[in-house]
Amino acid sequence: MNSAPDDGPRATDGTRSVADATASATLLASRSLLGFVARSLAPVLEELTLVQFRILVVLEGAEPMRMADLADAVGVHPSTLSRTVDRLEAGGWVSRVPVEGNRREVHVEPTAGARELVADVTRRRRAEILATVASLPAGDQEQVRRGMELFAAAAGEASPGELLELGL
């Protein structure tokens, strides 16, 4: 594996700050994590776009959603979402479900095939991450776990708009 470039600011004695060294290590780790994501998604991208897959992920983790709520959750305009849901529905990935008592409202829910697809991507990604973590000594595994928990708590979740910029 390549090491991170040593281009961070230096203290007057020539050493790097702990924060800068940590940022460099995190940048390197982020490239590894993106590799896990890319490899787990590669088979899916033969059938779906990243945005379509992202919609399935959002739907899989929720109750059936109103179109407007789904558009907000993925950070797209409702008309753009409607066209994307049309394609997902034609492909058998989602169903539109009329809301009883409200003829204007429609919910979108993933099909069993969509749920299985999302679960399969997650299983592949988890298996690859687990194999990598399992190759470390137990003490290092615990340090990685704790570091990831701390980093995730400090960074928070990406916004729908940020994920959309990446096609996620």
Side-chain angles (χ1 to χ4, degrees), residues 22 74 91 96 113 145 153 162 166:
T22 302
V74 296
R96 284 186 170 104
R145 183 197 61 78
E162 291 169 323
L166 293 174

Side-chain angles (χ1 to χ4, degrees), residues 105-167:
E105 190 172 330
V106 174
H107 286 175
V108 180
E109 61 184 29
T111 63
R115 290 184 190 281
E116 182 56 35
L117 180 74
V118 171
D120 188 48
V121 168
T122 302
R123 276 192 297 272
R124 278 195 307 272
R125 192 175 304 161
R126 181 178 175 75
E128 190 173 354
I129 291 169
L130 181 58
T132 301
V133 171
S135 72
L136 298 170
D140 290 349
Q141 290 178 32
E142 178 59 24
Q143 286 184 328
V144 169
R145 183 197 61 78
R146 184 69 181 131
M148 290 295 191
E149 286 175 347
L150 290 168
F151 184 81
E157 293 250 356
S159 72
E162 291 169 323
L163 292 174
L164 186 63
E165 287 179 23
L166 293 174

Side-chain angles (χ1 to χ4, degrees), residues 36-45 50 53 121 124-125 168:
F36 293 137
V37 171
R39 287 185 295 277
S40 68
L41 284 173
V44 172
L45 298 181
L50 283 171
F53 183 75
V121 168
R124 278 195 307 272
R125 192 175 304 161
L168 300 171

